[in-house]
């Protein structure tokens, strides 16, 4: 077997390969592509929707199903506009914007300052200046004064487009949890500390989206808000920070590909007392760089006390033992579904130069193996009849139909068997089941393991149990 | 055991009971309730999100997992605005609107005409008039002329709110499938006939939303588009119409609660050649009335040929045998997730007058049993230790943690055992596992079946397999 090289190409080459594989094999398509695409929107194809659903399922299992002290929620995207006044988003959820008066290009002022040295090499030994001193990095034109641009998308309920009818697409799912805090406590009878978990779409009118599905205007969050006594907030912050890193590692991302980044006081969001990003070695972060995958935040009592103030409804917790009332603090774990999917794809991509199968045909080309964790793999098993002869087809289809009762499987009878193995390797299918002419005599099939390349001969009647053991 | 009465109260009383149960037990909350709610938006609570996810899982299993010829998709909510020009939604997706000049109330002109006889009893023997002849049914004021109001929510990408940046929240998920038709065919190598299935949010700026989660402005669709040769469209229409009715029946809705309604030529949507609604006996449909649960539509080649025209991209299919190119026709099955959840809740609600358990306490009250199909039930099993004594708690928690690896379970140690059974019955939990003092000797627990009330004594080591058999 040829040597397996991890990320054979340069790091940015890896990104291009993932974008190309994602489109070609049906993981991720540019949205509305026949109309030239819609900037920074993406659609998940047949394999992508399975992968994404598996990521969400794995998160829900860890964060809700296994936890006696966390319950789920699914709040609507459109919420009462007062929610965003209370949360501080109307006032503070802004990016600083400048335009070039000459070429009309638009920039984020904070990004210009961050990138000062790379944008203005002649000043590389000077400290970054103020925005007012900078000029357009594209055409050297004069920049407008900086103005704050609110990132919330707005629309109107009902036919009249006035202030009273204005609503926003939620920029974070978290607020849906806070406004339902009291209803959840009453209906689920949870005691502190406890959590409310939610997966759902959020929207941010980013000025500079980019890097494929990393920063998009429409995206999906998986967030958990953990309500605690204020004195216990620090302990739980550390606990959840560790558990969230463990989760990514359980699903195959090595510790060396993760990094923790503590937010400095001046970059903390308006609601945060402390924030640590769990970062992943995304290829576009530069050599040895990392970018945010998930954030763990201590939001203190900011959200609940603001909603209490703005709604006039009490959102406190009464300690049963002491009878004391207080506003719980919140530790939030906030991850991006799309970013997790992208990280798992990037992490799983391996190139085998010269191929790893023994057939002559396969040896000619380099081979891609997507080593996704088996719980995340979109297709759990492929059924590959060795030929299209009727007697094999009948047996193979029967196997497919039986397995499809419990697993997402794929039937593929087209092309050489080596080619079909490679197609499955490229999409990360953990098990390939070959139905051959011996099957007609011994009622057994060959099951090949994607990673060990080990082949087991398994009786058809035991196949369901065999796979059940692998996936339980 | 007392006699079980189906929907013990009047039909509209049933609706009120479901709304109340949904809020009290955490199925469905009014959105942003602490701010007085947001008209017609709802949030799914801890049990609601499980029920809704189970409905989606059941649909995905039937429509994707089991089907070798259907693949999934998850397209974005924001799409290129040209999509809605091509689809005809910008021109035709409108409701006729009239306002009362005196009391300023707003009405749908078509509803006023439909309800002509109930609104104007004095004219009950006359045919409905034209809108121009009607007046306000609330205050008898003069009505404005009818105008067409487009139901698509609009917003803007980027900071400039001009025509060029205007986009819409998708009013149906179907278009995400059509614009990806070619990318899906190429990446999944499907041959006609085949389907693309999708679950996702859609938004319609309804003038008169209402009836709880039946008609909301934000809702979730589960749609499948079946691409066929034009000559086979009628055959497949009938096939899918039958299969979609079977699906609801498989999950417990009796045939007598369903009805088929063929659209008359003058009420067909602009894209439809034929449309049949699968209706459910919703309580607000009046005595013996039905309202739409799902629609099966023959959309002909409307969508693909319009997108071909507007995008300039060929969206045809080449028949391998004959070499002939043609635009496939589409049979669509379009169901509402929220409506399905509501129908399953309404259908499952049963009241046992006088209670059905043998304890004295329970006999005092009427008891509610939510007879949800076990695959849909939010909680698969409840673990109920007979007392809070440490030795029972230890065993019961160990059982909970083991079962929680594979099933959504609930641990409840509070209140009398009769009361805890009733709490589980009310949320539809199929199995209650009681850990009693005998458990400490025989290492076994009592499993009670929600519907048969039969109790099995099951060894703790066999419990996982016992439940696996029930849920496989």
């Amino acid at each position: 077997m040829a040597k397996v090289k991890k990320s054979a190409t340069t790091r940015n080459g890896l990104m291009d390969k993932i974008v190309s594989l994602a489109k070609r094999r049906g993981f991720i398509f540019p949205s509305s592509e026949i109309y030239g695409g819609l900037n920074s929107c993406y659609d998940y194809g047949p394999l992508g929707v399975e992968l994404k659903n598996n990521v969400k399922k794995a998160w829900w299992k860890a964060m809700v199903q296994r936890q006696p002290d966390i319950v789920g929620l699914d709040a609507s995207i459109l919420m009462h506009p007062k929610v965003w006044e209370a949360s501080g988003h109307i006032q503070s959820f802004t990016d600083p914007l400048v335009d070039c008066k000459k070429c009309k290009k638009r920039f984020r002022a904070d990004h210009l300052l961050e990138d000062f040295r790379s944008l203005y090499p002649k000043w590389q030994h000077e400290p970054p200046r103020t925005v007012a001193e900078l000029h357009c990095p594209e055409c050297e034109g004069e920049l407008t004064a900086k103005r704050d641009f609110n990132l919330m998308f707005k629309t109107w309920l009902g036919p009249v487009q006035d202030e009273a009818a204005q609503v926003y697409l939620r920029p974070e799912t978290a607020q849906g949890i806070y406004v339902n805090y009291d209803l959840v406590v009453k209906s689920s009878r949870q005691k502190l500390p406890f959590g409310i978990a939610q997966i759902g779409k959020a929207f941010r009118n980013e000025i500079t989206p980019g890097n494929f599905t990393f920063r998009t205007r429409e995206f999906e969050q998986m967030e958990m808000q953990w309500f605690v006594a204020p004195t216990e907030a620090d302990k739980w912050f550390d606990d959840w920070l560790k558990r969230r890193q463990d989760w990514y590692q359980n699903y195959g991302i090595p510790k060396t590909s993760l990094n923790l980044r503590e937010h400095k006081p001046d970059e903390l969001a308006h609601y945060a007392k402390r924030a640590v990003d769990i970062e992943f070695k995304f290829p576009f972060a530069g050599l040895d760089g990392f970018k945010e995958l998930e954030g763990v935040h201590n939001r203190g009592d900011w959200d609940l006390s603001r909603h209490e103030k703005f709604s006039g409804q009490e959102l406190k917790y009464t300690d049963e033992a002491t009878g004391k009332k207080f506003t719980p603090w919140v530790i939030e774990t906030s991850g991006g579904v799309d970013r997790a999917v992208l990280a798992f794809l990037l992490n799983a991509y391996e190139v085998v130069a010269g191929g790893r199968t023994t057939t002559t045909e396969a040896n000619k080309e380099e081979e891609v193996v997507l080593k996704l964790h088996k719980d995340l793999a979109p297709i759990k098993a492929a059924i590959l009849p060795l030929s299209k002869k009727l007697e094999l087809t009948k047996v193979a289809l029967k196997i497919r139909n039986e397995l499809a009762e419990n697993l997402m499987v794929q039937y593929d009878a087209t092309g050489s068997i080596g080619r079909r193995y490679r197609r499955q390797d490229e999409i990360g299918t953990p098990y390939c089941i070959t139905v051959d002419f011996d099957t007609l005599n011994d009622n057994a099939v060959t099951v090949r393991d994607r990673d060990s390349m080990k082949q087991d001969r398994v009786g058809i009647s035991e196949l369901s149990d065999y796979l059940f053991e692998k996936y339980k």
Side-chain angles (χ1 to χ4, degrees), chain A residues 116-254:
Chain A
F116 179 79
R117 289 192 184 78
S118 57
L119 291 172
Y120 307 94
K122 60 180 173 177
W123 291 327
Q124 60 182 303
H125 299 297
E126 289 187 43
R129 305 185 164 206
T130 64
V131 179
E133 289 180 280
L134 300 180
H135 52 251
C136 175
E138 303 266 337
C139 78
E140 309 222 337
E142 199 188 333
L143 296 173
T144 60
K146 162 175 92 111
R147 65 187 190 284
D148 288 329
F149 167 62
N150 196 294
L151 299 185
M152 288 196 291
F153 283 101
K154 61 179 173 209
T155 189
W156 292 270
L157 282 188
V160 183
Q161 293 184 15
D162 63 13
E163 190 99 12
Q166 190 170 294
V167 291
Y168 302 92
L169 307 190
R170 64 178 175 195
E172 61 172 26
T173 56
Q175 298 303 326
I177 292 179
Y178 305 132
V179 299
N180 281 299
Y181 163 80
D182 196 48
L183 286 164
V184 171
V185 169
K186 280 186 182 139
S187 62
S188 70
R189 303 177 300 136
Q190 289 284 350
K191 308 265 178 281
L192 242 55
F194 77 94
I196 305 177
Q198 179 170 228
I199 298 176
K201 287 269 172 99
F203 298 80
R204 293 179 187 177
N205 205 351
E206 299 281 355
I207 295 161
T208 49
N211 288 319
F212 196 36
T213 53
F214 178 78
R215 190 181 307 282
T216 53
R217 288 178 171 141
E218 172 179 340
F219 58 103
E220 205 160 358
Q221 292 188 308
M222 32 193 192
E223 294 195 324
M224 192 279 294
Q225 315 293 321
W226 183 251
F227 299 91
V228 290
T231 50
E232 300 204 315
D234 289 344
K235 185 188 85 179
W236 282 109
F237 187 101
D238 295 340
D239 189 62
W240 279 111
L241 184 59
K242 183 179 177 318
R243 284 161 79 170
R244 292 308 303 147
Q245 292 172 79
D246 289 348
W247 184 81
Y248 288 104
Q249 291 178 49
N250 286 345
Y251 288 98
I253 294 184

Side-chain angles (χ1 to χ4, degrees), chain A residues 75-136:
Chain A
S76 60
I77 290 168
L78 302 175
M79 301 176 74
H80 197 289
K82 274 263 177 192
V83 171
W84 308 111
E85 267 183 59
S87 71
H89 281 80
I90 286 178
Q91 206 191 327
S92 309
F93 197 61
T94 57
D95 273 346
L97 197 72
V98 289
D99 292 298
C100 171
K101 290 179 180 171
K102 199 168 137 204
C103 76
K104 309 293 178 199
K105 283 244 163 70
R106 174 160 293 141
F107 304 95
R108 269 181 63 173
D110 53 338
H111 285 183
L112 288 186
L113 283 177
E114 265 172 40
D115 300 342
F116 179 79
R117 289 192 184 78
S118 57
L119 291 172
Y120 307 94
K122 60 180 173 177
W123 291 327
Q124 60 182 303
H125 299 297
E126 289 187 43
R129 305 185 164 206
T130 64
V131 179
E133 289 180 280
L134 300 180
H135 52 251
C136 175

Side-chain angles (χ1 to χ4, degrees), chain A residues 28-39:
Chain A
I28 304 171
F29 303 133
S31 171
S32 311
E33 203 210 20
I34 58 172
Y35 293 104
L38 184 65
N39 187 11

